[in-house]
Amino acid sequence: MSPEVIIDGLFAGSVYALVALALAIVFQPTRIMNFAQGEALILGAAVSYQIVALEKMSWALALVVTIVVAALMGVLMERMIMLPVRMSGSRYAWIIATLAAALIFQSLFNLGFFDVDALRPDPVVAGGFEIAGVSVEWQELLAIIVALAVMAGYDLFLRRSVYGRAIRATAHSSDTSVLMGIPVQRIVVLSFVIAAVITAVAGLLAAPVIFIAPAVGLTFTIKGFTAAVIGGVGSPRGALAGGMIVGLLDTVVRSVVGGTVGNFAVFAALAVILIVFPSGLFGKPMEAH
Amino acid sequence: MATADPAPPERAGSLFDTELYHRIRTVAMGVLVVVAVAVLLMWPSITDYYSYNASYYNGIVASAAISAILTISLNLSMGYGGMLSMMHSGLQLAGGYATAYVVVKASGSWLLGVAASAAVGVLLAVLVLLVSLRATYLYFGMITLAANLIVIESGREWESVTGGIVGLSGVAPKLGDEPMSKQAFYYVVLAFLALAYVVQRNIVRSGVGRAAMAVRESSDTASAMGISPARAKLLLFGVCGGIAGVSGALYALQLGFINPDVGLLDNGIIFFVGLFLGGISTLIGPVIGVALIAVLVELIKDQARYTTLVLGVLLLVAMMVIPRGIVGTWRASRAGRDRVSDAGDDTLPDEVPDVVPEVRDAAPEVPAIEGVGLVKHFGGVHAVDGVDIRIMPGTVHGIIGPNGSGKSTLVSCLTRYHRLDSGKVMIFGEEAPAAPHRVAAAGVTRVFQVPHLFERVSVLDNVLTGMRMRESYTWLGATLRSSAYRRQDRAERAEARELLAFAGLASRADWPASSLSHGQKRLLEVVRAVATRPKVLILDEPATGLTSTELDALGRLCRVLRERGLAVVLIEHDVDFVMGLCDEITVVESGKVIERGDPERVQSSPAVLEAYLGRPELIEETA
C-alpha cells in the first residue's frame, strides 16, 4: 500500500462527504432519505463529460451549466418525490418515490450515454506535485478543498443565517414551523435544490478521477448514506468525518485486497455499525423512521 | 349506545348497498375468477391455435407468473409485515444461483434445485433480519439494499459457483431423462404461483399473520399481547425469503440462465410497481399488478430501452392517482366495498360468559404483581423514585396522582417496557422476565394510555390478535390448514364474538376498527387485553373521554374480572370512578408513594389533598 492510496481515499471521502451532506440537507426538513441523490452526481459528471470531453469547451462553462441544470433537477426532484409522498399517505411512499425517481434518472442517463463506459473528462487542473515523496494530483487536492469549503460554508449558513435557523426549526417540526410563519414549502424546495447542486459539483470534481458510469448513481447514494450514518445525519461535520472514513476504508481495502471488495467492506461496515449503534456513531436516533 | 357513532356505512337507498347488488357482484367475481383460471390453464392450447409463436406467448405468461410469485413474497414482507425489503431481487438471484448450481454444476434434479433455492432464500433472509433486528425501518431498508448489492457482488466474484459476470447457462428442467417441455414447465410455474398465493392467504388469515401485522402497527402493543416482535418478524421474513428463492429457481429454469444482472434494482422495480399498482396489503393485488405490467411491457417491447423509464413514471403516477392500488381502491369504493352489519342496539348480556378468564389456583397472600424499590430516572428526572407496590389478586387497585407524577412510568417499569435502574418486579412470587412480551406471557397484560388499536383490521381480528399467545399451531400448520389449526381457529372466533357481545360490541365485530367511536375503541382495547387471558390487567387511563354509559360498561367489566379472581390495576384521573370501583389505592407524587390504602383513607389523607390541591386550608371553603 502506497501513501498515494491515503490521498485517493481522502479524495473519494470528500466526494462521499458531499453526498452525505446533500442527503442530510434533504432529510432535515422532509424526513426523506433521497435515493435519487446520487443521480445528481451522475448529472455533474455527465455535463462535464459532455462539455469538456466532447464539445472541448472550458471548465468554467461546465461549472455554470452544471449548477443551473442541477438546480432544475432539484426542483424537478422535489415535485417527483414530494407530490407522490403527500398524495399517497403510505408509510413507504417516500422510499418508493425516491427509488422511482432514481431509476427514472438512471434510465435517462443510460439512454443519453448508452455507449459510454465512464464519464471521464480531462481534469480541471492537469498534473500534480510531490510533497515529502508523496505525489498528489491537483484535481484531488482541488476536490478536497472544495469539499471542505462547502462543508464550512453550509455549517455557517445553517448557524448564522435566518434561512439556516428556519431550516433547523423545520427539521424539528414542520407542523410547528408552519404555524410560526416559516415558509416550509419554500424551504423544502430550496433543500432539494441546494442538495442537488452540491452533489452535482461533487460529480463534476470526481469525474476526471473516479470511475463513474451512467448507471452507478445508486452506489454513490448508498456510500453517501453510509457516511451520513457513521457521522450522524444532520451535521456537516459528521458528514465530513463519515465521508472520510468511508472513502479511506473503501480505497484502502480496494488497494490491499483488490477489486470490488471495497464495496463489500463499506456495506459490511454499514451493517456492523447499525448493529452495534442502531442510531449511527455520532447520531441522534431518527425517531420518525 | 349514547355516543355519536361515526357514520356507519351508507344506509339503504343506494343501489350499491342492496342485497341484490352484492349477490350479483359475488357471482360476477366468481365467474371472473373461473374465467381467469381457465384461460391460464388453457393458455398453451390457445396460443397454439392462434399463433405461430406459441412458445413466446407461453413464456411471457410464465415469466409474469414467476414475477408474481416474487411480488407475493414482497407483499408479505412489506404489506403485511411492514418490513421494507430492497433485497427481493437479490433473493431471487440467490435462489437462481442455487438451482443453477445444483442442475448445471452438480447435475442434480431440478426439484432438488428448487428445494435448495428455497433453503438459500430462507437462510439469506433470516441472516439479514437477524443482523437488522434492532434497526428502525429506514435502516432496515438500507441494510437490505446493501445486502442486495453484496449478493450481486458475490455473484460477480465467486466464479467457481456462480460463473462470474457471464453467469450460468443451460439450466433446464428434466422429466426423467428427457428435458421437460416448455409447455409442461408452464404448468409447473402455475402450480407454484397457486402455492405461493395459498401460502400467503393462509398465513395472513391465521394467528401468524395477525401477529406480524400487530408488530407492523406497533411492536409495543404486540409485546403487550405476548407476541415476540423479533420472532414474528423472523418467521414472516423467513417465509418471504423462501418464496423469493423459489421464484429465483423458476426464473433460472424458465429462461435457462442466471447472471448477476438479475439482482439489480432495475429489474427489481417491476415488483415494486406491480405491488403498488395492484394494491399493497391485498391478497390478489400483487398478481393483478404484475399481470398488468406484463401486458404493458409486451406492448412497448419495440422500445424496450424505455421500459425502466416508463415503469418508473408509472409507479409515481400510480402512487398519486391510486395510492391504495387497483384492488385497494376498488375495495374502498362504493361499488366494491363489503357490506357490514348494521349497528344493532347492543344490549349488555346479564350472564357473564365462560370465556371471561378466571384465576382460581392463586396462592393466598401472594401478590399478583409486586414492585420492590423500583427506581427509574431519565437523566435528572426522577420519574419513579423508590416505589413499593403490592397488588393482590381478586382486587381492583387504583394508582392515582397528579399529571407527571410517574404513574405511566411505574406501569412501564412493572411490565418491563423500561429497564429498571434498580428494584425488582415479582409476578405471583416469581421474578418477572425482562422482555415485555414475556411479562405478557407470564399473565400481565397492559392497555396503553393512548389508544393502540390495529386500525386497519376488523374489530374481530383485533380481539383474535390478543389470543396469539395460546395458539399452539405453527406457521406450517396454518399454511396447510391442519385440523389443529382449524379447531383452534373456530374456537377462537366463537370466543372472540362472545367477549365482544359481553362488552356490547357484538354487532360491530366485522367493522374496521378505525370506524369505532373513541369510547368503543377503548372498550375494544380492554376486550382485546382480556382475550389474552391475563391474571393481571393493567389499564392506563381507560376512562378518559368516555361517556357515562361507556363508563358503566367499563366499571362492570372491571368488577366481573375482580370476581373472577383477576388483579385489575387502574390508572385514572376520574376520582369518582376510581373511588367507586377500587379496593385499594396507591397515590403517587413526584415518583414516590405518598399514600396507600382503601378509598376512605386516601380521601381523607392530608398528603393527598396537598398533592392535588396544594393548599389544604382552602379545602374547607370549597367543600
Side-chain angles (χ1 to χ4, degrees), chain B residues 160-515:
Chain B
S160 56
V161 172
T162 63
I165 296 177
V166 199
L168 295 172
S169 53
V171 193
K174 277 192 182 144
L175 207 61
D177 285 334
E178 297 294 303
M180 189 192 279
S181 74
K182 276 283 170 220
Q183 202 164 344
F185 191 69
Y186 172 86
Y187 288 105
V188 172
V189 171
L190 277 196
F192 273 108
L193 175 60
L195 183 69
Y197 179 80
V198 169
V199 168
Q200 170 188 239
R201 190 196 67 172
N202 289 355
I203 283 189
V204 165
R205 290 188 181 166
S206 75
V208 179
R210 283 192 294 269
M213 284 186 265
V215 175
R216 169 190 75 186
E217 298 297 320
S218 155
S219 70
D220 278 352
T221 317
S223 299
M225 319 270 100
I227 296 165
S228 156
R231 217 173 134 231
K233 279 190 194 171
L234 206 59
L235 189 58
L236 192 72
F237 205 58
V239 172
C240 292
I243 299 177
V246 168
S247 107
L250 297 174
Y251 184 99
L253 290 167
Q254 166 72 21
L255 297 182
F257 69 89
I258 190 87
N259 66 31
D261 286 352
V262 173
L264 290 178
L265 262 184
D266 318 32
N267 291 327
I269 190 172
I270 187 171
F271 312 121
F272 284 111
V273 187
L275 187 55
F276 272 74
L277 196 64
I280 190 169
S281 310
T282 62
L283 291 175
I284 195 69
V287 181
I288 292 179
V290 168
L292 281 176
I293 290 172
V295 173
L296 181 77
V297 170
E298 172 61 18
L299 287 178
I300 58 170
K301 70 168 180 232
D302 293 335
Q303 315 288 334
R305 56 206 187 99
Y306 295 106
T307 306
T308 310
L309 185 64
V310 170
L311 288 181
V313 173
L314 182 68
L315 181 51
L316 287 183
V317 171
M319 286 175 74
M320 286 191 265
V321 181
I322 41 169
R324 279 185 271 204
I326 293 168
V327 177
T329 308
W330 164 252
R331 286 271 162 74
S333 72
R334 289 169 59 111
R337 71 178 158 225
D338 288 333
R339 265 156 66 92
V340 294
S341 49
D342 291 334
D345 193 22
D346 288 320
T347 43
L348 299 177
D350 297 323
E351 298 268 307
V352 179
D354 293 335
V355 292
V356 174
E358 198 165 4
V359 180
R360 281 186 227 90
D361 47 357
E365 301 305 312
V366 177
I369 187 166
E370 182 179 20
V372 186
L374 301 178
V375 176
K376 179 72 196 174
H377 295 175
F378 296 106
V381 181
H382 297 192
V384 172
D385 201 14
V387 169
D388 294 314
I389 190 166
R390 288 162 63 90
I391 292 149
M392 304 304 291
T395 63
V396 177
H397 191 114
I399 299 178
I400 61 172
N403 280 327
S405 57
K407 304 184 295 288
S408 292
T409 312
L410 174 59
V411 169
S412 289
C413 288
L414 284 174
T415 47
R416 307 308 293 262
Y417 275 82
H418 290 324
R419 190 179 298 213
L420 291 172
D421 289 338
S422 91
K424 61 177 179 176
V425 178
M426 312 288 283
I427 297 172
F428 287 102
E430 283 173 31
E431 182 119 20
H437 69 269
R438 291 187 199 282
V439 172
V444 181
T445 300
R446 75 179 289 193
V447 172
F448 291 86
Q449 186 172 2
V450 189
H452 275 59
L453 279 182
F454 307 128
E455 302 252 344
R456 287 196 272 171
V457 298
S458 72
V459 169
L460 186 70
D461 277 340
N462 265 283
V463 181
L464 290 174
T465 308
M467 301 178 173
R468 174 65 192 141
M469 246 194 299
R470 54 187 137 104
E471 286 164 355
S472 59
Y473 55 81
T474 62
W475 70 272
L476 203 62
T479 311
L480 301 173
R481 297 179 63 82
S482 66
S483 63
Y485 162 75
R486 274 177 296 167
R487 198 174 54 241
Q488 283 185 34
D489 195 58
R490 244 193 332 268
E492 275 176 9
R493 281 174 195 276
E495 190 178 327
R497 283 188 191 276
E498 262 189 90
L499 277 177
L500 283 172
F502 183 61
L505 293 170
S507 65
R508 292 173 173 79
D510 298 313
W511 288 23
S514 55
S515 67

Side-chain angles (χ1 to χ4, degrees), chain A residues 224-237:
Chain A
F225 173 79
T226 313
V229 169
I230 292 175
V233 180
S235 82
R237 289 161 221 193

Side-chain angles (χ1 to χ4, degrees), chain A residues 91-92 94-95 260 286 289, chain B residues 78 82 84 136 139 153 157:
Chain A
R91 186 173 164 197
Y92 314 106
W94 63 273
I95 209 158
T260 42
M286 289 198 266
H289 294 281
Chain B
M78 265 177 83
L84 179 88
T136 54
Y139 286 144
E153 297 282 343
E157 296 295 311

Side-chain angles (χ1 to χ4, degrees), chain B residues 30-51:
Chain B
V31 170
L32 215 60
V33 169
V34 170
V35 169
V37 170
V39 167
L40 278 180
L41 286 178
M42 312 212 344
W43 187 249
S45 328
I46 297 173
T47 52
D48 206 30
Y49 187 76
Y50 285 102
S51 168

Side-chain angles (χ1 to χ4, degrees), chain A residues 35 88 91-96 103-104 106-107 111 218 222 225 260 263-264 267 274-275 278 286 289, chain B residues 78 82 84 86 131 134 136-139 142-143 145 149 153 157 216 265-266 269 276 306 309 319 323:
Chain A
F35 276 97
S88 113
R91 186 173 164 197
Y92 314 106
W94 63 273
I95 209 158
I96 303 301
L103 288 167
I104 288 173
Q106 191 188 60
S107 69
L111 290 171
L218 212 51
I222 295 171
F225 173 79
T260 42
N263 283 348
F264 231 94
F267 302 141
L274 288 179
I275 298 162
M286 289 198 266
H289 294 281
Chain B
M78 265 177 83
L84 179 88
M86 313 261 261
V131 161
R134 282 168 68 197
T136 54
Y137 90 103
L138 164 68
Y139 286 144
M142 282 296 179
I143 291 175
L145 185 55
L149 293 171
E153 297 282 343
E157 296 295 311
R216 169 190 75 186
L265 262 184
D266 318 32
I269 190 172
F276 272 74
Y306 295 106
L309 185 64
M319 286 175 74

Side-chain angles (χ1 to χ4, degrees), chain B residues 18-36:
Chain B
T18 56
E19 187 150 338
L20 182 67
Y21 171 76
H22 279 268
R23 212 174 285 165
I24 293 173
R25 198 184 74 188
T26 315
V27 172
M29 288 289 181
V31 170
L32 215 60
V33 169
V34 170
V35 169

